[in-house]
Amino acid sequence: MNNTHNFSATRLALAVSLAVSALLAACGGGGDAGHDAAASATLEAVQAVPVAQAHNTPTAPDAMADVAPRVAPWELQDDAVESAAFLTSQMQLAEPTEHALAAAAAAATADLRVKWNPGHYVSLPLRDESTILKALAEIRALPQVKGLILRYEWAQLETAKGVYDFSRIERDLSLAQGAGKRLWVMVATKVFRPGGRAVPDYLMTPEYEGGAYKIVIGARDAIGSTERYGQNAALHNTKVRDRLVALGNAMGARLNRHNALEGVTFNETAMGQTLVPLTTEQKRAYFNNLAQVDAATQRAFPNTVVMQFINFPKTYMPGLVTSMAGSGVALGGPDIFLEDRDLNTHIYPLYDLAKGKVAIGPSVQPENYATTVQHGAPNPPKISELYAFGRTRLAANYMFWTRPRFGNDYPRVLEFFKSSAFPKDAAGGLTTTCPSTYAACTARL
């Protein structure tokens, strides 16, 4: 990563490096070996543009970040009336019902121990076997670095309605387990690459209101395509919600008790700048349904940490986090920006609501290595500062560190991991206390 504060003097190669690695690794990373050729072809096109433009140009076809702001302007605004109404609704839904009490009674005889291995995990931009093996080799001698977090798109996991393919996850679990490490699975319902599909094809029909909505990513046309938009799943539609719940149920039935599976998480809550704005009713329904998906997935994985990455919109986050804490759903986030006003004022305080109740897992994204505020000028923080913020301010049980494909940021992370400043206890200095909403914590079942 370029460390200069004079952006105009930045070399083109390093500007492209920042663009590529940020675009590849946003929201948890993840990709396939087959995408490498397309990524290289796109990179050649990027190298022809000026430095400042290269810093904001889409490059790789999988797990891409937005080039325009990831967070739409309205998501940074706070509607106090709507926020209070949504919070109240989630608090009411959290009150025990006869059905919930009956389910709790039935669960009393079940094995509800949660696999619990706090520590540091590495997020990869690609998940081809060679990249995974290389990353595992780099952390093999670091017991505090427990494993990897990899991203899998919904459309890759459900190839047709009710037809599931978890073979890639199972392969990656096997690779991690073989190296004595563990795996976090991120289920992605949002894609940033132009023309990418956020949901399986069968959902993209009138029955499901198209299944997804287009999000503006500020991109040029994708190579060989006129498409300029990413997608986000249309979770305001109850039928789309129910299909995502079904995916979680199928995954849980197959993978929940795998001892190498540490956790399952969903990508960030930021909805993005929609091509066609959603109504207030649709936004409210979206986050009400997301809360239901989170809770249902936690029930489908009773022995595995289930997490939701949160950031924006501000209006719905207090209610969503309240629901998560009541349902035993862990709280994670896509960014550690040390000096960002919006995050420090409105989002990071929500971690305090979850602290001690559920697991907490912030992540360090490529842009977090480069600046301390969203879309800020280059101002690279020290790795030790990112670590201290996650450990102390956010009370992390898990920290996810992105391993960009280019630049010197990840070598700096590895250097910190090997330094005397990095605690040598089993969790690398992170909190290990079993959260109060978990029946019990165990290293393995």
Side-chain angles (χ1 to χ4, degrees):
M1 182 67 63
N2 172 40
N3 289 326
T4 182
H5 289 255
N6 184 357
F7 186 60
S8 63
T10 302
R11 293 174 57 197
L12 175 59
L14 290 179
V16 172
S17 168
L18 175 61
V20 173
S21 54
L23 298 172
L24 278 167
C27 303
D32 298 311
H35 292 135
D36 284 342
S40 299
T42 315
L43 180 57
E44 292 175 4
V46 173
Q47 289 172 335
V49 302
V51 170
Q53 184 179 347
H55 185 71
N56 291 303
T57 302
T59 53
D62 195 37
M64 292 181 63
D66 47 352
V67 219
R70 177 189 306 163
V71 180
W74 72 267
E75 296 185 280
L76 297 175
Q77 300 170 2
D78 189 19
D79 183 335
V81 174
E82 176 69 4
S83 181
F86 186 71
L87 174 61
T88 299
S89 72
Q90 296 307 302
M91 293 175 66
Q92 291 173 342
L93 290 174
E95 295 178 357
T97 63
E98 291 185 8
H99 176 74
L101 293 173
T109 59
D111 179 4
L112 297 180
R113 295 173 298 157
V114 176
K115 289 165 286 180
W116 183 245
N117 296 273
H120 301 264
Y121 290 74
V122 176
S123 173
L124 303 183
L126 298 176
R127 65 165 195 274
D128 60 285
E129 186 169 343
S130 62
T131 298
I132 291 173
L133 291 174
K134 181 178 181 180
L136 289 170
E138 291 170 339
I139 63 174
R140 185 184 294 273
L142 299 170
Q144 308 94 326
V145 186
K146 301 294 187 181
L148 307 176
I149 177 170
L150 301 177
R151 183 179 187 271
Y152 307 83
E153 292 176 6
W154 183 356
Q156 296 170 331
L157 301 176
E158 187 178 10
T159 57
K161 185 175 182 178
V163 179
Y164 302 106
D165 181 1
F166 304 132
S167 59
R168 296 180 184 183
I169 297 177
E170 291 172 324
R171 179 204 69 178
D172 298 343
L173 282 167
S174 179
L175 292 175
Q177 192 170 43
K181 299 296 183 179
R182 310 181 62 76
L183 181 69
W184 272 81
V185 168
M186 174 175 282
V187 178
T189 59
K190 182 179 182 182
V191 294
F192 297 99
R193 67 181 183 274
R197 296 293 184 93
V199 298
D201 288 346
Y202 79 87
L203 288 173
M204 304 186 81
T205 62
E207 178 183 359
Y208 300 95
E209 293 185 75
Y213 56 84
K214 289 185 176 182
I215 53 176
V216 179
I217 57 176
R220 299 178 306 152
D221 294 341
I223 290 179
S225 170
T226 60
E227 185 59 77
R228 298 175 62 89
Y229 305 100
Q231 285 188 351
N232 199 359
L235 279 181
H236 58 273
N237 180 282
T238 57
K239 291 186 176 181
V240 175
R241 175 203 66 195
D242 292 346
R243 294 311 307 159
L244 188 53
V245 168
L247 172 65
N249 289 339
M251 286 182 60
R254 187 168 183 98
L255 302 174
N256 168 58
R257 294 189 65 84
H258 197 299
N259 268 309
L261 179 64
E262 181 71 11
V264 175
T265 185
F266 292 99
N267 55 221
E268 64 178 6
T269 52
M271 302 178 75
Q273 184 177 343
T274 59
L275 182 62
V276 178
L278 274 64
T279 66
T280 298
E281 290 73 20
Q282 288 174 319
K283 295 170 185 175
R284 187 185 310 139
Y286 182 102
F287 287 100
N288 183 61
N289 286 340
L290 179 58
Q292 294 181 50
V293 169
D294 288 339
T297 306
Q298 193 281 326
R299 292 192 296 270
F301 284 89
N303 306 111
T304 304
V305 178
V306 171
M307 181 177 287
Q308 173 67 57
F309 272 28
I310 73 148
N311 50 357
F312 298 101
K314 291 180 185 178
T315 294
Y316 296 100
M317 291 304 96
L320 181 63
V321 171
T322 296
S323 173
M324 289 162 53
S327 301
V329 176
L331 187 157
D335 288 299
I336 292 181
F337 281 116
L338 302 181
E339 299 175 315
D340 189 83
R341 183 182 62 183
D342 287 312
L343 289 169
N344 277 289
T345 302
H346 298 280
I347 305 304
Y348 294 150
L350 298 177
Y351 283 65
D352 298 332
L353 300 179
K355 180 180 178 180
K357 298 178 182 177
V358 295
I360 293 176
S363 68
V364 180
Q365 299 287 315
E367 54 267 45
N368 305 151
Y369 297 126
T371 185
T372 58
V373 298
Q374 297 182 77
H375 317 300
N379 180 27
K382 296 178 180 179
I383 301 301
S384 59
E385 293 174 332
L386 294 168
Y387 165 77
F389 192 90
R391 175 187 181 182
T392 304
R393 172 62 189 92
L394 302 181
N397 306 110
Y398 300 94
M399 284 190 70
F400 305 110
W401 298 85
T402 302
R403 179 188 184 275
R405 296 178 65 201
F406 304 98
N408 69 347
D409 290 313
Y410 190 65
R412 289 198 297 135
V413 173
L414 287 177
E415 181 181 357
F416 174 72
F417 285 161
K418 297 173 183 178
S419 73
S420 59
F422 185 56
K424 299 301 185 282
D425 60 281
L430 303 185
T431 301
T432 61
T433 305
C434 186
S436 62
T437 59
Y438 297 174
C441 292
T442 182
R444 58 184 292 115
L445 300 176

